[in-house]
Amino acid sequence: MDFEKLLADRLNKMGASAIREILKVVSQPGMISLAGGIPSPESFPMEIMGKLTSAVLEKYSSNALQYDPTEGFTSLREVLVDYLKRKGIKSTANDILIATGSQGVLDSIGKVLISKGDRVAVEAPTYLGALQAFNSYEPEYVRMDTDDDGLIPQSLEKVLKLGGIKFIYLVPTFQNPTGRTITIERRKEIAVIIKKYNALLVEDDPYSALRYRGENIPPIKTHAPDNVVYVSTLSKVFAPGLRIGFCVAPDLIKKWLVIVKQGVDLHTSTFNQALAAEYLSEGYLERHLPKIIELYRPKQEAMLSALEKYFPEGFTWSKPEGGMFIWAKGPDGIDMEKVYWKSVEKKVAFVPGKYFFTARGEGIETMRLNFTMIDKKAIEKAIKILSEVIKGSRKN
Ligand code: PMP
C-alpha cells in the first residue's frame, strides 16, 4: 500500500525536523548536554504532589475526573485572574482559555488565523515550536530584526507598513532561543505601533517568572490590551508534564479558539487543571517559585562566568536576567554546525542557532546554550571543552 499518496498536502511544510535529526546524538552515554530546552526535574514540587492530589479529590470529588467545559476548569480560571493581575493584566475568568500547554494555544491560533499563504511576522531568531505549530497551516514568514534588546520596533513598523500581516508572534521576555528581553521603552513603542496599524500580536510568555536579577517588566498586553493574545503556561513554574497552558484573547478570537479546541481535545485534563488550581490558590506557587529561582540562578551564573573565563575572543553572548537560555555568537565565517559535530565527539552538545531562523543562511555563527539541566561543575566543564573545540576548529 502506498501510504505516501494518502498524506495531506499540508505535511509538505512540516517534514522531519532537521534539528531533531542532529540532536539524536545528545542521548549518547556520557554526553553533557547544553542542548535541552526543558526544566530540571529538581524544579518540580515533588514533596507536595501527594498532598495536592488528596486535596483535589477531597475538594472536587468525582468532578475532578469528569469531562469539563472546553474553556477550562472554573477554579483554575478564577485563580488565574489574580495571577495575571500581578503581571498587570486585567481579565475576568471568562476571558481566560485553558489549553494543553501553551503549545496547544499556538496550534489553535494557527488554525484560527492562518489560511495558506498568509503572512506571519516573527523575530529572527524565534521559538522553533511556534513555527512547527504554525507550519501546518502553511503561512509565509516575514522576519523582523532583533538586537540585544529584542525586537527592533522600526523593523516591526516597516513590516506592518507593507501590509498583509495576519499577526505578529513574539516572545518578549527571556526569549527562546536568545534569552533576550524586550526593554520597557521598546514594549511601549511596539504597543503604539500595533495600535496604529490595527495589528494583532501573539505575546508568548513562558519564562518571565524565572527572573534571577533585575525588575519585572510588564507584558506588552498591559500597554495594548485589545491588540494582544497573551499566552502563558505553568510548565516552567509547576510541571511541564501536566500540560497546563492558558491565554487571554480578544473576544472573537477566544470564541474561535474554543471552537477549534473542542475539535482537538474537548478540553485539557480536568484533574491536572484541578491540581494547578490548588497549586495556585493555596499559595504553593508563591512558596515554591523562589526555590526554582535559587536552583537556576547559580547555574546561570556558572555558565556566564565560564563563558567569560574560557570563550575565545570574537565571541559575544547574551546576559539574560532570567529564563533558561544563553545565546552566543561567533565571528563571521564560523559554522556552528561544524563546531557542533566536533563538540559531540568530545561529549558536549548544544543547539546550532541557525535552526531558529526562518530564512536559510542566517545565524550560521550562533548557538543556543541551556543551563537548567546540568550542575555547575558540568556547566564549567562543558563550556571549557566547547571553547577548546572552537579554538581547535578555527586553526583548521
Ligand atoms: N513557547 C515557548 C517560547 C517555549 O519555549 C515553550 C516551551 N519550550 C512553549 C511555548 C511551550 O510550552 P508548554 O506547551 O509546555 O506550555
Side-chain angles (χ1 to χ4, degrees):
M1 170 110 187
D2 179 10
F3 290 107
E4 273 298 323
K5 70 173 190 218
L6 301 182
L7 302 178
D9 292 345
R10 78 175 65 84
L11 302 196
N12 293 336
K13 275 255 179 174
M14 299 168 76
S17 132
I19 186 173
R20 222 163 251 228
E21 287 304 307
I22 82 152
L23 293 180
K24 272 186 181 157
V25 293
V26 170
S27 51
Q28 283 175 359
M31 189 72 72
I32 310 181
S33 177
L34 310 175
I38 62 176
S40 162
E42 288 169 80
S43 74
F44 305 156
M46 296 304 288
E47 66 292 352
I48 62 163
M49 289 310 293
K51 218 162 137 191
L52 278 186
T53 305
S54 312
V56 159
L57 290 174
E58 200 165 297
K59 211 181 248 181
Y60 304 108
S61 183
S62 57
N63 286 336
L65 304 175
Q66 185 53 284
Y67 283 120
D68 207 53
T70 306
E71 287 83 346
F73 194 65
T74 305
S75 308
L76 177 58
R77 296 165 81 206
E78 281 169 359
V79 69
L80 279 172
V81 171
D82 282 338
Y83 179 78
L84 288 163
K85 199 166 151 199
R86 274 177 263 140
K87 293 186 185 286
I89 295 173
K90 286 190 203 118
S91 66
T92 67
N94 263 336
D95 302 327
I96 297 169
L97 168 64
I98 310 295
T100 303
S102 45
Q103 195 67 30
V105 182
L106 297 177
D107 181 68
S108 297
I109 284 174
K111 207 173 200 175
V112 168
L113 296 176
I114 304 172
S115 299
K116 188 175 178 175
D118 278 350
R119 288 146 59 86
V120 175
V122 296
E123 292 159 291
T126 189
Y127 169 52
L128 198 60
L131 300 180
Q132 279 170 335
F134 302 150
N135 280 348
S136 28
Y137 307 102
E138 305 175 86
E140 301 293 332
Y141 294 109
V142 181
R143 66 180 292 298
M144 299 179 293
D145 294 325
T146 61
D147 62 15
D148 291 348
D149 292 333
L151 174 70
I152 301 170
Q154 289 76 8
S155 176
L156 167 67
E157 177 143 28
K158 206 167 132 196
V159 161
L160 291 177
K161 228 180 220 163
L162 288 175
I165 297 293
K166 261 295 167 80
F167 64 90
I168 304 139
Y169 170 75
L170 296 181
V171 185
T173 309
F174 311 140
Q175 194 224 27
N176 181 1
T178 62
R180 290 171 186 155
T181 293
I182 303 179
T183 59
I184 183 138
E185 295 76 19
R186 282 195 181 179
R187 286 176 194 231
K188 288 181 185 160
E189 277 181 70
I190 290 167
V192 169
I193 294 168
I194 58 177
K195 283 194 248 180
K196 176 172 159 193
Y197 289 88
N198 265 323
L200 180 70
L201 166 66
V202 175
E203 177 174 28
D204 187 7
D205 184 25
Y207 299 110
S208 62
L210 301 182
R211 175 171 280 284
Y212 316 133
R213 291 176 293 284
E215 297 285 313
N216 281 328
I217 304 181
I220 300 172
K221 173 88 173 163
T222 62
H223 304 293
D226 297 338
N227 295 65
V228 178
V229 179
Y230 178 81
V231 185
S232 191
T233 177
L234 299 186
S235 286
K236 316 295 189 267
V237 295
F238 187 12
L242 296 174
R243 311 304 301 126
I244 303 294
F246 53 93
C247 72
V248 187
D251 280 348
L252 181 77
I253 293 180
K254 195 208 130 192
K255 180 187 120 183
W256 282 104
L257 290 174
V258 171
I259 292 170
V260 306
K261 184 173 169 60
Q262 258 161 13
V264 174
D265 60 4
L266 296 180
H267 63 80
T268 294
S269 156
T270 315
F271 192 75
N272 292 354
Q273 291 188 71
L275 287 174
E278 194 67 10
Y279 184 65
L280 293 177
S281 65
E282 297 308 310
Y284 291 106
L285 171 69
E286 258 161 63
R287 293 190 289 277
H288 188 68
L289 183 59
K291 294 185 202 161
I292 302 179
I293 289 172
E294 284 319 311
L295 173 70
Y296 291 155
R297 190 205 319 261
K299 290 177 192 252
Q300 197 225 29
E301 284 168 359
M303 184 172 275
L304 286 171
S305 50
L307 285 165
E308 203 65 62
K309 189 163 158 194
Y310 299 113
F311 249 40
E313 227 172 273
F315 273 74
T316 54
W317 52 89
S318 60
K319 297 171 184 75
E321 294 184 333
M324 298 189 1
F325 306 105
I326 291 174
W327 181 252
K329 185 172 187 292
D332 286 349
I334 188 162
D335 181 344
M336 281 307 175
E337 184 154 347
K338 286 195 182 139
V339 172
Y340 173 82
W341 289 114
K342 288 194 180 130
S343 128
V344 294
E345 275 171 31
K346 304 273 184 221
K347 299 282 182 208
V348 174
F350 60 89
V351 187
K354 67 176 184 188
Y355 292 103
F356 302 99
F357 289 82
T358 51
R360 257 168 208 263
E362 275 201 274
I364 306 288
E365 67 296 341
T366 60
M367 67 209 297
R368 189 190 76 175
L369 304 170
N370 163 263
F371 52 81
T372 54
M373 283 299 283
I374 53 174
D375 64 28
K376 288 196 311 190
K377 251 188 164 160
I379 290 172
E380 161 138 15
K381 186 173 165 196
I383 297 293
K384 185 164 184 260
I385 293 172
L386 196 48
S387 312
E388 282 157 10
V389 169
I390 292 168
K391 283 175 196 158
S393 66
R394 289 166 97 184
K395 277 184 207 127
N396 296 336

